[in-house]
Amino acid sequence: MAAVLERSFIEICGFERETLHRFRDVTVNLGLSALPGGVRFPDSSGGFHYEESGKLLSITSNRFIHWTTSGDTVQLVEQSLDTNLLNNAVRLKFPHCTLLPGGVNIHETLNNVIILIVTNQSVHRLVLPHPTRMYRSELVTELQMQSIFTDVGKLSLQDPAHSTIIPTMANQTGGPSAATAWISHLGEVHYALASPAGGILVLTLPPHDTQGSISVVELKRSTVMQKLAGWMPTAIRGEQSPGDLALSLAVRELEEDSFIFALCQDHKLRMWSFRDQACLMEADMLEYMPACRGVKRVAGQGHRLRLSFSSTTGLCLAVYLAVPQRGQFTVLQLAATDNNRYSLDHISSVFSTQETLVDFALTSTDIWGLWVDDSNTTVVKYINFEHNTAGQWNQVFVQPPPEEEVHIGVDQDPRETYLEVLFSPLRFTASAIVKALQIYRRGSERIVDMSWEALKKEVTVAVENELQSSVTEFEFSQEEYRQLQVEFWSKFYACCLQYQESLSMPLGLTVSPHTAMVCLLKKGFVSFLLPCFAVDHLYLSYDEYLFSEEETPVAEDPEVSRDVLQLVQCLRLVSDAVSGDMAYEMEKALEHLQSPERAAELVLENMLANDNDNVIEDIQNKLQDIRNPTAAMIILLREMDLEVDSEVGGEGLPKPGQSLNVRISLSQLYGSSVAVMVVCQAVCHMAMTRALFCRDLLILQKLYLRLGDNVFLGGGAQLLQLQQDLIPRSSHLLSSYYLLKHTSQSLASSVPMDTIDANLQHLSVLELSDSPAMGTNRSVLSPQTVVELFYQTVARKAIISQIYTQQQSSSPGSMLLHWPHMVSNVVNLLAQLLWPSNPGFQFPECLMANCQYTQLQEYVRLIRPWCQMNVGSCRFVLGQCYLADGEGQKALQCFQEAATEVEKEEFLMRLTGAEEEEAASTPRLQYYNKVLRLLEDVGLPELVILLATLAITEAVNDVRSQAALWTRIFKHHLDLGHNSQAYEALTQNPDSSRQLDCLRQLVVVLCERSQLQDLVQFSYINLHDEVVSIIESRARAVDLLSHNYYELLYAFHINKHNYRKAGTVMFEYGMRLGREVRTQRGLQKQVNCYLAALNCLRLIRAEYAWIVQPTSGAVESECFSSLQYERPGASPKRNYDGEFAADPVKRQVDILELRDLEKEYILARSRLTLAQQHPPSAAIAGSASAVEMVALLVQTGLFDCALSLCQTFNLPLTPVFEGLSFKCIKLQYGGEESQHDAWNWLAANQLSTVVTTKESSATDEAWRLLASYLESHASPNAQHHRSVINKLLSHGVPLPDWLVNAYKAVDAAALLRLYLNFDLLEAAAELVLEYVDALLGKGHQYFGIERPLSATAPLVWLPYTAIDQLLQALNETQTNAIIYNKLQDKLDSYHKLVEQTTRRRLRNQ
């Protein structure tokens, strides 16, 4: 329901949030000196409202300027309720001058805002750009805008165009006492000053954009008029105080003329025509004052004049006659007659109270008055001067000053209590605290601009230091220390009170004719007047007003209305009777979640026990006058209950069809920091007032129960209704308003950036980061209450949208910013958004989004016992708070409790909106999925496991959700190192595909952690083949040296006693090492792998000791077709890209038996030996064949290894002998370096014997090694000797004797042929000679001849072909003639002997 408004208003203070207001100081020095005996005028203030401030689409909507004058200084501040204005405050100082009353006037033209200032010696004109000219585009979207004062420092205010000295008139002493200024329709500026000699002095400046000189006109009565006034008393006529001395001036332009109204000291109002320079009218104001005897004889001092013009009433004047004890407002209307004559029509006379008038304002219907009473208390009232026949002023409830004493409970810390009161957003301005702190520090240092929190720390340090410095004893009791704290904190508090009182001194008020906004202008800040709701009006009204009320808008029936008023009077009595201590106890009971009803009973018992003034009896007497108390209570409770059926702001923002101008204007409406503070403080004051109202009503209801039938005319039925319905409703409302009051005073915390980032991450996980309640544009000012934060980021848009929608439905196409109506709607709708019993959940959601976890926890704590709305949502956001604080178990408990409300509450339903990819079957499962993702994002795997286990019970019939949950459980158990539990979760997964994924992850993770024992020992029931496939695929897919999947697979097969598969794995491992890891380490691993494979095959029976070897290039992911790993669900026809797969290639496989593996092992060991002896060779040795390895080994000098390899693979030994021969040749003719290097490879070969008789060189050892090889590796026909000799002779190396002797004993003919091949004729001839001698019996044993030539011995022979070749060669050269002859002779003798022997043998046959 719409809130019912009363005629009264309530003051809301717009405290500034900065420690020091940022005024820019500008001094205008015209070189003047102070006037002798100058009069100091009281401080004053005023305001100016833009012409279009009431239009929504204007850039000046809700924008105004207010000023304060003090001595020679004027402070100007421009404020807006829609946007924050930058550089909006300026302080102008005019040395040796004094600002005159009415000396500041602001006028608005199409292009400029012109400020006119009048001092007692000078006049000034400031020409500033109009806001509409500061922005070229009409669409202003910035959150902040530049004020018109932004460039005021660039103006040369001393120039004649801006400042002029008032010319001194002849015979004039003293300065002007009042002034006003205006701009004519021609653009000329006129300043009207009240001349001390009487009359009016008018100074005129040309328009600011044209050249010209100043002109001066004096408006003075004619001599005839002066003579007519001769009857006046000397006191008035005296030279020092002429009767026509103007006390107050006002100007109005009508019909191209300017009319100057002057209210003079002789109580007369005179109207001058500036054009004609004549007095058109003179009226005695005492004629409108009854019983004015004696007043004429006294010169007027405090008379004031105000004008108001409207199209309906024309020009009205309000004259205030400051007569002691009889102040009176007279409202007159200017009427024009023929012949340019004017008269005044009396409209109304209103009598004011006896207080001292500070200022008043006149509108077309009302008079607003501002007074200060005898106790220096501000009094504000207003009255409709036309329709108020009873002369009854309407109330304005001004804010009382802070309490003079702070109540400190026995359980409270004095420092914390005082700080809470001092820095509450309602009591003290920052300026008052800063000034008090400077005095308290004795002005030791100037306080620079600091944050609210920093100021709080400074205050704490200052008071504590003062306390510590005053302590003389080292030991004292806790109670004594508490008393000291109270003493020093109360001293500082009293200092703050004094400065707050000074800053709260009222200087004036301003009423906007366009928006009807009323502002009180005080010395230190501005406060705003807001319409008072009916219930608040009744409770706050002064007694004389309350008793004179006859009806109230909350009830239509006069009888019920009378009962309501009587009931409220009783509540006032109850309020007066509640002591401060009992009020404090009631407050604490609400804070500690105790029963409000029980607390009210205790307060009532205390009132009854201490009723010294018979208050209870008075209340009882009044109660008997109430005819139907339950009906009155129901009406009051209904008015205070803010519960609504639908969510506030549900219509959303203006539709896209609306114009861009409208949408932008609405997005900024009431969005400035000033408007935020005013609206939220209004909610706070409403909550405070109504909390007291509900407290007193609850106490009164308890009193009703106690009195029973004595006051209830209706009897038991009404008592039963009171007990079962009204008291619980009152208790619920009391708790609700206490919550609003507490929340609206809770300051928002500043949040570090890392916390904000983490929170945004959590919200994105919950898919809430784009929620309307998740606004994050914080105010630039500090501190900020959480309600201000909520209003600024979330609530304002919803509220303005709803108001706009309602206005458009009632009056389409128009939206006037009528302040009383608009602000009361905004306050009421904001209170509804905050009301805990309403369905909306934006406020807690906003606190969660802005990381206000402490405040949110307190909010949930306060509403939990009695609020049944959004219970699950509150548990959820409380869980978020616990998560942020690191209390995971508590958070999990809250999340579980919230699950029961998932399908009932809008916030949780929005939270569990269906996900695009994996929509769970039930909302509760969707909720669990969101929370699980949140817990995962925070990093709480233990809680994820617990909640997922709980969620599985909800997914009984949902296999897909069960599989996802078991997968989650498996993942987090695995992450935590709970391998057994992870395996258990894996086996429980109903989805085979997910199960296989989990199994793969288990294998990979346990391998990376080297927890192979666990991996091998799991039973893997029905998963054995999958495990093998996974490990094999991983083994073939990853780097061999960084992972040990082959070794794991080997261990797995060994553990299962499958030795052949184990051997197969190690053989494959060795083959890949040889191909891919060509390093010494890789070769070492390869040797070990082949050894392990051999060991495995030797452990099984011979017929099964074989493995399958793939063909070259097949040692990839498809190495063994029998063990091929196929992904389930893969298409048999298409590949991953959707293309048709190629036909499978039929691969040839070879069977490897034990002896084949032994060969591979020896080859691998040879490679390792080579790499150890010569590391650079490792890169090429890895894939070298046996033949290639022999060459590499020979080249490196590993002849033993090469011989072994040749024998294993049945390779010829010739390369080995040739290689060793070449090594010997190099050593034979090499230097010392080659000798040194030779020892390295010689050491790698084992010599058969060791020579110890003499020192041996490397060359000797090499020849010995060659000789030993020739001896130990005999070959048919001495092929090895032949190859060695051939190698030596091809390099021109003389043959060692031992080699020649050894070979000629085996095959002298072959040796001869070798000699002939290399043209060694002498050696060949010598060999033939020796050979012939051996045949003849001389040294035959050296040629392997058992018996020489004889008739009985076996047949002997000579290589005649070779000998013939030798003889031919010798015969062809003269140098060999001797050898030739000698050889020919030897052969001849041999032939003879052969012939003889032959004959002898023939004869013997």
Side-chain angles (χ1 to χ4, degrees), residues 825-894:
N825 273 349
V826 171
V827 169
N828 190 57
L829 290 174
L830 176 58
Q832 289 178 4
L833 280 173
L834 295 169
W835 196 248
S837 299
N838 282 335
F841 196 66
Q842 295 100 317
F843 178 60
E845 193 178 352
C846 173
L847 295 185
M848 178 182 72
N850 289 279
C851 309
Q852 303 299 311
Y853 300 122
T854 304
Q855 296 84 342
L856 183 53
Q857 288 184 63
E858 181 66 9
Y859 176 87
V860 175
R861 183 188 75 84
L862 288 175
I863 70 170
R864 186 174 185 184
W866 49 268
C867 183
Q868 302 305 314
M869 184 64 68
N870 292 317
V871 176
S873 302
C874 286
R875 303 311 297 164
F876 180 84
V877 296
L878 183 60
Q880 278 280 76
C881 296
Y882 286 139
L883 270 189
D885 293 341
E887 298 182 89
Q889 291 292 342
K890 290 183 180 180
L892 181 63
Q893 181 68 28
C894 291

Side-chain angles (χ1 to χ4, degrees), residues 419-472:
L419 284 175
E420 183 178 349
V421 173
L422 285 169
F423 290 90
S424 162
L426 298 175
R427 292 181 175 87
F428 290 93
T429 64
S431 300
I433 299 175
V434 167
K435 290 182 178 180
L437 181 58
Q438 287 175 332
I439 293 297
Y440 206 77
R441 286 175 167 179
R442 298 174 181 87
S444 57
E445 59 183 74
R446 187 163 182 260
I447 297 178
V448 296
D449 193 11
M450 63 176 66
S451 68
W452 196 256
E453 286 299 319
L455 182 60
K456 184 185 288 189
K457 291 179 182 178
E458 289 292 327
V459 169
T460 305
V461 170
V463 177
E464 292 296 323
N465 287 344
E466 189 77 10
L467 188 153
Q468 297 294 339
S469 62
S470 68
V471 173
T472 55

